[in-house]
Amino acid sequence: SQTIHQWPATLVQPVGSPLSLECTVEGTSNPNLYWYRQAAGRGLQLLFYSVGIGQISSEVPQNLSASRPQDRQFILSSKKLLLSDSGFYLCAWSAPRGRITEAFFGQGTRLTVV
Amino acid sequence: RKEVEQDPGPFNVPEGATVAFNCTYSNSASQSFFWYRQDCRKEPKLLMSVYSSGNEDGRFTAQLNRASQYISLLIRDSKLSDSATYLCVVTLYGGSQGNLIFGKGTKLSVKP
């Protein structure tokens, strides 16, 4: 069966510090991978999605970046965090292109920038 | 027009009530439809898929009207544990957001 792992669960970082959040998927190949952010009381905001290794699409201009160094690994990074980067970050996967299925989410990382 | 629109609520209902949520989508090429549930400070979890013929899972019934580009979720005999935010999700092959488009969610609060 497929599983998705996301860590850490909680993170407190000072303004200007770097960020690295990691997400891995098991039990499937060539998944679509997604990073979302959810600010307090708000909807899901798509940040990045990837349909394959090294293929990243950005939906929102920001100081964040994403990478997909391996088929089932998706990393969200920042060189210098801003206060506005605080939020609930969610990684998700769905079946590869050509198969329309639901998405499955990791447990999320609650990031507080102080 | 937003791609997926939901009434944000909140819907405040007593236990045992029947409550219905609606969702409209703008792209007629949308292919698959889902309802997710998100508890406070948790990740969204799949509640049920939505099929053209309509489908039921216990107290939950989902309906799809492709002609009107409209999806609904009906919850009968509401429980306190149904309190959550319900997200409507549409998939669109080759869409600009990968293939997933989320509504902003409808908040439900079931009171004793």
Side-chain angles (χ1 to χ4, degrees):
Chain A
S1 63
Q2 302 90 357
T3 56
I4 179 168
H5 304 279
Q6 185 183 342
W7 66 93
T10 306
L11 194 58
V12 180
Q13 292 282 100
V15 169
S17 64
L19 173 73
S20 180
L21 302 181
E22 189 164 343
C23 172
T24 59
V25 181
E26 297 176 0
T28 187
S29 296
N30 195 29
N32 293 331
L33 295 173
Y34 307 83
W35 278 112
Y36 289 89
R37 177 171 61 202
Q38 190 173 40
R42 307 287 294 276
L44 288 169
Q45 178 188 32
L46 179 65
L47 301 176
F48 301 95
Y49 75 93
S50 171
V51 298
I53 295 174
Q55 301 178 60
I56 309 293
S57 296
S58 174
E59 291 296 313
V60 181
Q62 60 221 331
N63 68 321
L64 299 171
S65 62
S67 61
R68 186 170 177 173
Q70 300 180 43
D71 181 45
R72 290 168 289 178
Q73 183 184 28
F74 205 24
I75 298 171
L76 182 69
S77 304
S78 174
K79 292 182 179 178
K80 288 186 177 182
L81 284 168
L82 307 172
L83 286 175
S84 58
D85 290 326
S86 294
F88 190 38
Y89 288 82
L90 290 155
C91 180
W93 74 272
S94 67
R97 259 184 200 281
R99 295 177 53 204
I100 304 296
T101 68
E102 62 272 27
F104 299 92
F105 286 84
Q107 291 187 329
T109 296
R110 195 159 300 279
L111 172 66
T112 304
V113 182
V114 297
Chain B
R1 183 181 174 186
K2 295 179 181 175
E3 293 192 80
V4 176
E5 293 199 64
Q6 295 182 248
D7 182 341
F11 283 57
N12 297 309
V13 303
E15 269 187 293
T18 295
V19 61
F21 305 138
N22 300 321
C23 170
T24 58
Y25 60 95
S26 60
N27 195 320
S28 60
S30 300
Q31 295 179 293
S32 299
F33 309 89
F34 305 96
W35 282 103
Y36 278 70
R37 170 194 170 127
Q38 185 175 22
D39 292 295
C40 186
R41 300 177 70 83
K42 298 287 188 180
E43 75 274 22
K45 292 185 178 178
L46 179 68
L47 178 65
M48 59 196 303
S49 303
V50 187
Y51 304 121
S52 297
S53 55
N55 49 301
E56 187 174 311
D57 182 3
R59 297 182 293 109
F60 299 84
T61 301
Q63 297 271 349
L64 166 64
N65 185 322
R66 284 190 182 270
S68 301
Q69 295 180 200
Y70 169 97
I71 306 158
S72 66
L73 176 68
L74 184 76
I75 305 176
R76 291 181 299 278
D77 189 23
S78 300
K79 311 292 185 190
L80 295 176
S81 58
D82 293 333
S83 296
T85 296
Y86 291 83
L87 304 171
C88 173
V89 182
V90 170
T91 67
L92 179 63
Y93 183 67
S96 65
Q97 299 184 34
N99 61 356
L100 296 170
I101 305 172
F102 282 82
K104 293 191 180 299
T106 299
K107 186 173 182 179
L108 172 66
S109 180
V110 181
K111 306 292 186 184

